[in-house]
Each structure stands twice: as structure tokens, then as C-alpha cells.
Amino acid sequence: MERILTVAANEPIAPGVFRLLLDGAAVDDVRAPGQFFNLSVDGFYLRRPISVCDAENGRVTLIYKVVGAGTRALSEYRRGQTVSALTALGNGYDLTKSGARPLLIGGGAGVPPLYALAKALLVQGKQPQAILGFNTRTEKFLEEDFQA
């Protein structure tokens, strides 16, 4: 579904990595951890696919790395601007496949969707553990969030 969402925040959390908070009804579209949004960036024809990191309290969190001109332009979006998004794409993770202590392994752009997955598993009473990888120590993000 296409939605027009409002930027609540768009801030760096590691070198070249940004946390984008979007307000709007899109949080209701997210049905499963592991889904993604396709964002339209002004001046660019192709949309940018970005995994959902979290969706709660009317706000969706997306984390992305600046890797080209499109994500660089996205990193310049500020509070109050709007962005067109195709929301809740993909099937997400099948939570019925996990045991009582699932091991979640991801690196770089694969880390944000694991956060939503870990939260969903905790709600089910499971005890997930995560192994996160990054190119360098300075590129680490979400470490404290996973520990909490």
C-alpha cells in the first residue's frame, strides 16, 4: 500500500548509518518482522528498499546506510518532510519455525530487521540471542537496543 509518511527524525547513529523515524498509519501495515518499505526519494526514479527495524506507537523505524546518491539524498530529509512509501512489502519471518532459544545472526544492513524479530520472539516467551557483525568497530549500531 502506498502511504505518505512524515519524517519525525533522521539522524546518524554510526558513520554513514542513519535512523529514520516515520510517523503515520504505516505502522498498522506491518504484519511481520522482516518486512520492508520502498521509499521514494525526491529526484530519483527508483525507490529505495529499506527493512523495517521497528514499528510501534504510530512510528516506524528504518535504519539505512548511505551507499549512493539516493541514500545520500535520503539522509538529508529533515523533521516534518514527507516521503512516499510502499509499505510492509515481503512476507517477513515465520516465527513458528523457531525453538525456545533462537540464534539470530546478521551483519550490516541485515541487523535492523533482526531487532523486530527479536522483539516478536520475546513476546512469544522465547529467549533469542543475537550475533551482530559490522565492517569496523565504529560502524556498530543497535548493540544497546539488542542488549535491552
Side-chain angles (χ1 to χ4, degrees), residues 33 53-54 56 104 110-120 142 145-146 148:
C53 177
D54 202 5
E56 64 182 8
L104 312 180
V111 170
L114 293 183
Y115 181 72
L117 176 59
K119 285 180 65 173
L142 291 181
D145 300 87
F146 273 94

Side-chain angles (χ1 to χ4, degrees), residues 30-50:
V30 179
R31 298 174 311 281
Q35 291 186 300
F36 66 97
F37 282 16
N38 259 341
L39 302 182
S40 178
V41 178
D42 292 339
F44 294 87
Y45 178 73
L46 296 176
R47 291 177 177 265
R48 292 343 193 233
I50 303 175

Side-chain angles (χ1 to χ4, degrees), residues 13-14 17 19 21 53-54 56 61 63 104 111-112 114-119 122 128 130 132 134 140-148:
I13 58 172
V17 178
R19 177 181 286 138
L21 304 178
C53 177
D54 202 5
E56 64 182 8
T61 302
I63 295 179
L104 312 180
V111 170
L114 293 183
Y115 181 72
L117 176 59
K119 285 180 65 173
L122 286 168
L132 311 177
F134 301 94
K140 284 191 311 185
F141 58 87
L142 291 181
E143 183 178 22
E144 296 81 19
D145 300 87
F146 273 94
Q147 290 173 348

Side-chain angles (χ1 to χ4, degrees), residues 3-4 15-16 18-19 37 39 43 53 73-74 90 94 108 123 128 133 137:
R3 302 256 191 204
I4 303 299
F18 286 76
R19 177 181 286 138
F37 282 16
L39 302 182
C53 177
L74 181 61
D94 182 352
V123 167
R137 186 173 297 175

Side-chain angles (χ1 to χ4, degrees), residues 118-140:
K119 285 180 65 173
L121 291 167
L122 286 168
V123 167
Q124 291 185 342
K126 299 180 180 182
Q127 299 175 357
Q129 295 196 13
I131 297 175
L132 311 177
F134 301 94
N135 286 331
T136 66
R137 186 173 297 175
T138 61
E139 290 183 15
K140 284 191 311 185

